Amino acid sequence: MTLVSVLGGKGGVGKTNVACNLAVAAAARGARVLLVDGDLGLANVDVLLGLVPRGTLADVAAGRARAEEVLVRGPRGVDVLPAASGRSEMAALAGEALAPLLGAIVELARGYDVAFVDAAPGVGAAVVAFAAVSARRIVVATPEPTSLADAYALLKVMRRDAGAPDADLLVNAVRHEREARDTQGRLARLVARFLDLELRALGWLPRDARLVEAVALQRAVVEAFPASAVARRIGALADTLLEHAAPLRDAQGAAAEARA
Ligand SMILES: Nc1ncnc2c1ncn2[C@@H]1O[C@H](COP(=O)(O)OP(=O)(O)O)[C@@H](O)[C@H]1O
Ligand SMILES: [Mg+2]
């Protein structure tokens, strides 16, 4: 199991679209995929994928349901763990209340090849907690200066409060490759100078009207418009992530064979 959190300091930079589409693309490639809505108080994943949840993480937190009981089946067989919407007490979950919920999510994730968490914006307790338990942290930022400033602030908090040694930067909604490289370079220089953290360049996604169309249709763009530029690049990213997840499975398989 590889737990991948999709984070970003600012709202509206594309976290939910990245998490949902990576999950659907990974599932289309044959992986068993869990998609967790980590925006505990303002859920979006179910809306983006046009799903109707039977229950949410608020029910799990309150002890009314187990995590597997509120799963809802998404495109390509992705199992979605929905969050509640408009629940300020969920958004404010911290410390002692957060730990058991996180434990339940990690436990559930063990049954999958890969689990993606769509994190809330900002640098709240839940964001830091998800960053801390994840094997990979994808930070989504757009070329806007405000997004870059917030991504830097998030990396700083992740390093300090989550002990995160590294993160993968994904630049979203760029007009051309040069803009992606500029953005990446600017953030990389700041990080190299001020933070003891390895920031890897995971790649970039183009600004693509097809993604906006897919959102309106409440469908993942990789399903609705698989030939679009953004969908192709997300597919390639999913390949990269699964490549890194694969050795884990191979190692387990080899161990099982050795025992047999
Ligand atoms: N690559 C992109 N191309 C075009 N529009 C995008 C792209 N990424 C995000 N957007 C726009 O930004 C909106 C917010 O995206 P979302 O994934 O919900 O962001 P977040 O989860 O970070 O708040 C989308 O509904 C879409 O209109
Ligand atoms: Mg979102």
Side-chain angles (χ1 to χ4, degrees), residues 30-56:
R32 293 169 303 159
V33 181
L34 176 68
L35 172 58
V36 180
D37 194 335
D39 199 341
L40 299 175
L42 281 175
N44 268 176
V45 168
D46 56 323
V47 180
L48 192 72
L49 296 177
L51 306 173
V52 184
R54 299 171 282 171
T56 69

Side-chain angles (χ1 to χ4, degrees), residues 34-130:
L34 176 68
L35 172 58
V36 180
D37 194 335
D39 199 341
L40 299 175
L42 281 175
N44 268 176
V45 168
D46 56 323
V47 180
L48 192 72
L49 296 177
L51 306 173
V52 184
R54 299 171 282 171
T56 69
L57 280 166
D59 299 308
V60 179
R64 285 188 296 267
R66 285 179 300 124
E68 50 269 42
E69 291 171 335
V70 299
L71 286 178
V72 47
R73 186 52 60 95
R76 297 286 181 146
V78 170
D79 276 339
V80 176
L81 190 52
S85 214
R87 300 285 294 268
S88 52
E89 84 281 9
M90 286 298 290
L93 268 195
E96 276 169 30
L98 194 55
L101 188 65
L102 210 70
I105 293 170
V106 171
E107 193 50 42
L108 180 69
R110 285 188 209 287
Y112 296 83
D113 296 318
V114 60
F116 293 96
V117 178
D118 174 27
V123 292
V127 171
V128 171
F130 280 123

